[in-house]
Each structure stands twice: as structure tokens, then as C-alpha cells.
Amino acid sequence: VTDIIFDDGSRYQPTKIIGVGLNYADHIDEMNSIKPSEPVLFIKPSTALCNFTDPIILPDNMGPVHYELELAVCIERTCKNVTRDQAAENIAGFGMALDLTLREIQAKAKASGRPWAVAKGFDNSCPVSIFFKKSLSQMDQTEILFTLNNQEKQKTTTSLMLFKIDELIAYISGIFTLLPGDIILTGTPAGVGPLQSGDKIEGHIKGLISAKTTVL
Ligand code: ZN
């Protein structure tokens, strides 16, 4: 478990991490899913948080763990029912996250109509980078790139999100009161796949951060 740490030294302890599923069209296609009419949400517990640069710990005997590189938003202040226009002023900044996913367990849950809590919420399933005090307008059309053993696997731009960041904050805050430090994972583009012991991975979000780690 880790705090959310900003480049200026400020720290937050999130009460929840809200994931957004199916937010890029190419990832919806690769998952053989249908474009949702409203954001698909799930929650990871704060115990999912760990540092991006620490070696990734794969859980034992739970099937394949897929990487999903995502732009993460950190909430600045308590907010509820904010409008799209008010969204930007409630953002503390941005970081880079992996939304690690137990893909077979998720597939079984989907097939049987059961929740994704195990597939998405296990310990260390949310490695996060250091965060930066960037504004929404600096991050809403920037490039995301993920490489696995020096091969490009995921590449997109945040402008291709189906539900934009302001729209997500408006929607989510209409359901859950957002508290300082809460994290929104904004979804992953196509190219997800399994991690193996010994893999070397790198994530890049242009204008924000590049970071690398390995899989234990
Ligand atoms: Zn995801």
C-alpha cells in the first residue's frame, strides 16, 4: 500500500480507486464487448495501491494477470454532483497507473454476471507513479505508450476516450462522493496482454512521466 505522492511532496491517502472499463473503442473491440451507453465503473480498494517502480508481484494460482496502462486522475477536494464545467477545478493532478487484471477470473465473472471485485481488486493490482500538478487541458490530448520487453504493446492518445475526463468526474461524482486523494483510472486502450515473471515493462505518458519496472 502506498500514498499518492506528488512531485511537490504533497501526499494524499485515497479512500477509493474508481476504475473505468471499456473507455477506448479499440479495447472494446479486442474484448469483443459493446460500446457502453454510460461509463462502466468498478472499485479497487486502497490496498491495491503500490509503487509503479517496485517489481510487480503476480498473485499465485489465480491465472493470467494482464497489464492495462492508464492515465490516473487524483481528486483535489470533496466533491459531489459536479458538472462537466466544474470538473477541472476538482483535479489535484495526474499520474500513470497499471490496472492489473486477473483476466480469466474476470471472463468467468462476466460470463456468469458476477462482480469483478476479485479480478480487479487484489493486493498490488494498482501500481501508481508519482503524480504531477497538471491541469486537465494539459492531459486531455496526450500520448500513452506501454512497452513489454521493448516491444510496443499499447499506444493511444487520451483524446480517444469515449467518456472524457470531465464527463467521468461529473458522472462518478453523481454516484460516489469523491474525497481528496481519490483516484480515477480513465481506461485502457487496445493491446492488453499477460505478464510473465522476468518481463521488463515501460509506461510513458507524454508531458507527464516515463517509468519502468520488472515483473518478479
Ligand atoms: Zn482498466
Side-chain angles (χ1 to χ4, degrees):
V1 182
T2 183
D3 290 352
I4 298 299
I5 303 168
F6 274 79
D7 60 327
D8 67 358
S10 56
R11 285 172 174 258
Y12 295 81
Q13 291 181 313
T15 66
K16 53 192 169 295
I17 300 141
I18 296 156
V20 178
L22 307 174
N23 205 26
Y24 287 89
D26 58 355
H27 179 59
I28 293 172
D29 289 345
E30 74 173 346
M31 299 305 287
N32 295 311
S33 291
I34 294 164
K35 188 175 165 180
S37 56
E38 50 191 30
V40 175
L41 305 183
F42 56 89
I43 287 188
K44 288 177 185 269
S46 57
T47 43
L49 287 172
C50 57
N51 290 315
F52 193 100
T53 49
D54 289 346
I56 290 174
I57 301 161
L58 301 177
D60 289 332
N61 305 316
M62 296 186 86
V65 174
H66 277 205
Y67 56 82
E68 296 186 357
L69 190 73
E70 310 198 3
L71 177 66
V73 180
C74 181
I75 295 296
E76 167 77 28
R77 60 178 66 82
T78 301
C79 59
K80 186 169 175 63
N81 291 324
V82 305
T83 65
R84 288 185 72 166
D85 287 344
Q86 294 166 331
E89 68 204 46
N90 290 290
I91 295 173
F94 293 85
M96 181 169 68
L98 284 168
D99 169 19
L100 297 179
T101 303
L102 291 162
R103 194 65 77 197
E104 279 182 14
I105 289 177
Q106 186 196 34
K108 282 181 188 162
K110 282 181 178 175
S112 58
R114 292 184 178 138
W116 296 1
V118 174
K120 290 289 195 182
F122 61 95
D123 281 356
N124 302 307
S125 61
C126 192
V128 289
S129 73
I130 190 167
F131 277 61
F132 298 87
K133 304 251 159 145
K134 299 278 185 181
S135 67
L136 177 54
S137 61
Q138 290 174 293
M139 286 293 119
D140 62 0
Q141 42 191 338
T142 195
E143 213 169 270
I144 297 180
L145 175 65
F146 177 85
T147 67
L148 177 67
N149 300 322
N150 298 315
Q151 284 193 310
E152 189 178 295
K153 292 290 185 183
Q154 295 192 283
K155 188 176 186 182
T156 194
T157 158
T158 56
S159 61
L160 292 176
M161 287 181 196
L162 294 179
F163 299 100
K164 310 302 183 199
I165 292 166
D166 57 346
E167 213 173 347
L168 290 174
I169 292 172
Y171 181 81
I172 292 167
S173 74
I175 299 165
F176 309 109
T177 298
L178 292 171
L179 298 177
D182 282 355
I183 300 297
I184 298 171
L185 306 178
T186 56
T188 202
V192 301
L195 293 172
Q196 315 283 354
S197 182
D199 281 345
K200 295 183 191 344
I201 70 169
E202 287 186 48
H204 310 274
I205 297 179
K206 200 173 176 184
L208 191 70
I209 191 168
S210 292
K212 58 175 87 172
T213 189
T214 55
V215 181
L216 267 187

